[in-house]
Amino acid sequence: MNDPDTARYQLMRMRLIGRFKGGAGFPHSEQGNTSGDIPFYKVKDLAHTDSCGRLGTTDNYIDAGTARSLGAFIFPRDTTLMAKVGAALLLHRFVRASIPCCIDNNLLGFLPDVGTIAPRYLRYAITTIKFHDVVNPGAVPSLGAEAVGNKKVPLPPLPTQKKIADFLDRKTAAIDALIDRKEKLLVLLAEKRAALINQAVTKGLDPNVPMKDSGIPWIGEIPAHWDCWSVRDLIRAGHLSIQDGNHGELHPVAADYVDEGIPFVLARDLQNGRVNLDSCKRIPVSLAESLRIDPAQLGDILLTHKGTIGVVASLDELGAAPYFVLTPQVTYYRLHTRILLPRFLQRWLESQVLQAQMRLLASSGVTRACLTITGQRDLAVVVPPFADQESIAGALERWSGIERPLRTTVDRLKEYRQALITAAVTGQIDVTKEDD
């Protein structure tokens, strides 16, 4: 992406073209009301906008009297809204309020000076800001209005802003429609893939093979020549080891991150069956070597076990790093013998039957669901002969080969969309010469 500092237009600090204002606390007792006339938006609502990036309906409404009692400011129409705390910051969602609204205290509103900057243009211009260098470090990242206010956006004359917004509305709508069609196809492929995985790892590829009772009700029958183990028994027999990341004061924090170093794998870095090394933070080698818990290494299978439970990925990118430090929310599964093929173990962990068992074993009554290391030892593992595992893994990998190019296309379309926005708002494209 091009840097907005190359802009042909004047650059203006955000605080000079509007003002930021935070949201208000939203007690649970006031949530879920749909009879008011003022929408009260939460972070999750940022994902639900129309093609022009405007927020619509929500699950929560209040009236003016409730807004006053909560001390909740009523933001006017065309306020730009964004997340200011937590993982939602990383999604870089900037939306417009289509009607007056209130927002909770995890959101930040920007009220533009409409005599200086057009709200429709602002929606695009704000995406060129690099927020990562103004995020407050800590276990939970946050964004301060003062730091964001000092960030600059390109500011052409208002008539040009309108032309840029018109141009980008047309172009991004077409790109978004294409992305939407491909993402819907990916959802259908993922559903089919999940069904195939479940069938293959519990019944095999041969429909005529003799079957036997697995002894585990939720698995049912398995091929007669297959075995069932628990993770605990695999560990005891020396076939497997599992380990999560460093806890407490030894857990790396944002202040430890460096540009070059050992990958620090967070739960969000597990994407589409692999670790996204481009999104991984890095920590110094000296810090990584001082940590008590053994790191993950190439060949390990990773599993998220806290908050979002059951996301699986393989560490198979050769030459990426000598080892990988894990967050406490991620467990590595490391095989020591040829009883299990790593690719088969990955598919087993992804299967619907195993995912259901993980949800049942996860602790309840806490803020975030958690399947502890001890709890993971109770997970069942179906163990076919090695030749069967290779056949199953190969068949499922061929199916994944259908999805992967489609995901790559979606990623490239999203990159092209942002590059187009940046080029338009920085004056690298003369939108006055663009035909409809």
Side-chain angles (χ1 to χ4, degrees), residues 274 343 347 392-402 404:
R274 286 181 164 83
R343 290 185 299 151
R347 301 310 179 201
I392 291 168
L396 294 175
E397 182 61 28
R398 287 191 291 275
W399 181 262
S400 297
I402 300 173
R404 200 167 294 125

Side-chain angles (χ1 to χ4, degrees), residues 248-270:
E249 62 182 18
L250 293 178
H251 182 280
V253 297
D256 298 321
Y257 299 159
V258 294
D259 292 334
E260 300 289 339
I262 300 299
F264 179 46
V265 181
L266 305 176
R268 66 169 180 262
D269 298 321
L270 276 61

